[in-house]
Amino acid sequence: MIEIVAAVAGASISVAAMGAMGFSRRSDEARDAVIRLTSAVEHIATQLEVLHTDIKDDRKETFTRLSGVEQRVSKLEARPPSC
């Protein structure tokens, strides 16, 4: 009878250990996935910052040119027509 109890206890401990190792492995895989996703999000955020800076620079250049064109057009409109 003691042998049966010992066998059941040993099997229970083995099953519990296997379950814990499986949980640990899944936990490690989940941790690795979170790390990969975090790295990807940080990379995307960096690229968005670069894009935002580029867009701001382009807008600044565009509006500077547009201002110059508007000034030239207003000078041309102020001149009397030459006939």
Side-chain angles (χ1 to χ4, degrees):
M1 184 68 172
I2 290 180
E3 293 87 14
I4 295 174
V5 172
V8 169
S12 299
I13 291 172
S14 297
V15 168
M18 288 174 53
M21 288 192 314
F23 178 74
S24 174
R25 184 180 58 214
R26 280 184 263 143
S27 179
D28 290 343
E29 290 172 357
R31 186 185 70 238
D32 291 343
V34 168
I35 290 170
R36 282 193 312 270
L37 289 173
T38 302
S39 297
V41 167
E42 288 175 355
H43 178 70
I44 290 170
T46 302
Q47 294 300 317
L48 281 175
E49 288 176 15
V50 169
L51 178 64
H52 181 68
T53 303
D54 288 346
I55 290 172
K56 283 184 2 182
D57 292 343
D58 285 346
R59 283 185 180 172
K60 185 175 182 180
E61 181 182 346
T62 300
F63 286 115
T64 301
R65 288 183 180 187
L66 182 60
S67 175
V69 169
E70 286 177 342
Q71 290 173 4
R72 287 191 297 250
V73 167
S74 66
K75 285 180 184 177
L76 289 174
E77 288 175 342
R79 291 170 59 188
S82 58
C83 293

